[in-house]
Coordinates of all heavy atoms in Angstrom, one line a residue:
Chain R
L47 N 18.8 -34.6 20.2 CA 20.2 -34.2 20.2 C 20.6 -33.5 21.5 O 21.8 -33.6 22.0 CB 20.5 -33.2 19.1 CG 21.9 -33.1 18.6 CD1 22.2 -34.4 17.9 CD2 22.1 -31.9 17.8
D50 N 22.4 -34.8 24.9 CA 23.9 -35.0 25.0 C 24.4 -33.7 25.3 O 23.9 -32.6 25.1 CB 24.4 -35.5 23.7 CG 25.9 -35.8 23.8 OD1 26.3 -36.2 24.9 OD2 26.6 -35.6 22.8
E51 N 25.6 -33.7 25.9 CA 26.4 -32.5 26.2 C 26.5 -31.6 24.9 O 26.6 -32.1 23.8 CB 27.8 -32.7 26.7 CG 27.8 -32.6 28.2 CD 27.7 -34.0 28.9 OE1 26.9 -34.8 28.4 OE2 28.5 -34.2 29.7
A52 N 26.5 -30.3 25.1 CA 26.5 -29.4 24.0 C 27.8 -29.4 23.2 O 27.8 -29.9 22.0 CB 26.1 -28.0 24.4
I53 N 28.8 -28.9 23.8 CA 30.0 -28.6 23.0 C 30.9 -29.8 23.0 O 31.7 -30.0 23.9 CB 30.7 -27.3 23.5 CG1 29.7 -26.2 23.5 CG2 31.9 -27.0 22.7 CD1 29.0 -25.9 22.2
T54 N 30.8 -30.6 22.0 CA 31.6 -31.8 21.9 C 32.1 -32.0 20.6 O 31.6 -31.4 19.6 CB 30.7 -33.0 22.3 OG1 29.5 -32.9 21.7 CG2 30.6 -33.2 23.8
L55 N 33.0 -32.9 20.5 CA 33.6 -33.2 19.1 C 32.6 -34.1 18.4 O 31.8 -34.9 19.0 CB 34.9 -33.9 19.2 CG 36.0 -33.1 19.8 CD1 37.3 -33.9 19.9 CD2 36.3 -31.9 18.9
L66 N 33.9 -36.8 22.9 CA 33.1 -37.1 21.8 C 31.6 -37.0 22.1 O 31.2 -37.1 23.2 CB 33.4 -38.5 21.3 CG 34.8 -38.8 20.7 CD1 34.8 -40.2 20.1 CD2 35.2 -37.8 19.7
S67 N 30.9 -36.6 21.0 CA 29.4 -36.6 21.2 C 28.9 -38.0 21.4 O 29.5 -39.0 20.9 CB 28.7 -36.0 19.9 OG 29.0 -34.6 19.9
D68 N 27.7 -38.1 21.9 CA 27.0 -39.3 22.0 C 26.5 -39.7 20.6 O 25.6 -39.0 20.1 CB 25.9 -39.2 23.0 CG 25.1 -40.5 23.3 OD1 25.4 -41.4 22.5 OD2 24.4 -40.6 24.3
Q72 N 22.4 -39.2 17.7 CA 22.6 -38.7 16.3 C 22.1 -39.7 15.3 O 21.5 -39.3 14.3 CB 24.1 -38.4 16.1 CG 24.6 -37.3 17.0 CD 25.9 -36.8 16.5 OE1 26.4 -37.1 15.4 NE2 26.6 -36.0 17.4
Chain F
L649 N 27.0 -27.3 15.7 CA 27.4 -26.8 17.0 C 27.5 -27.9 18.0 O 28.5 -28.0 18.8 CB 26.4 -25.7 17.5 CG 27.0 -24.8 18.5 CD1 28.2 -24.1 18.0 CD2 25.9 -23.8 18.9
H650 N 26.6 -28.8 17.9 CA 26.5 -29.9 18.9 C 27.3 -31.2 18.4 O 27.1 -32.3 18.8 CB 25.1 -30.3 19.2 CG 24.5 -29.4 20.2 ND1 23.9 -29.8 21.3 CD2 24.6 -28.0 20.4 CE1 23.5 -28.8 22.1 NE2 24.0 -27.7 21.5
G651 N 28.2 -30.9 17.5 CA 29.1 -32.1 17.1 C 28.4 -33.1 16.2 O 28.6 -34.3 16.4
A652 N 27.5 -32.7 15.4 CA 26.8 -33.6 14.6 C 26.8 -33.2 13.1 O 25.7 -32.9 12.5 CB 25.4 -33.8 15.0
Ligands
LIG901 NA1 26.9 -33.2 21.4

Side-chain angles (χ1 to χ4, degrees):
Chain R
L47 205 72
D50 184 35
E51 260 98 317
I53 305 303
T54 41
L55 294 176
L66 292 191
S67 289
D68 184 346
Q72 294 194 15
Chain F
L649 200 58
H650 278 227

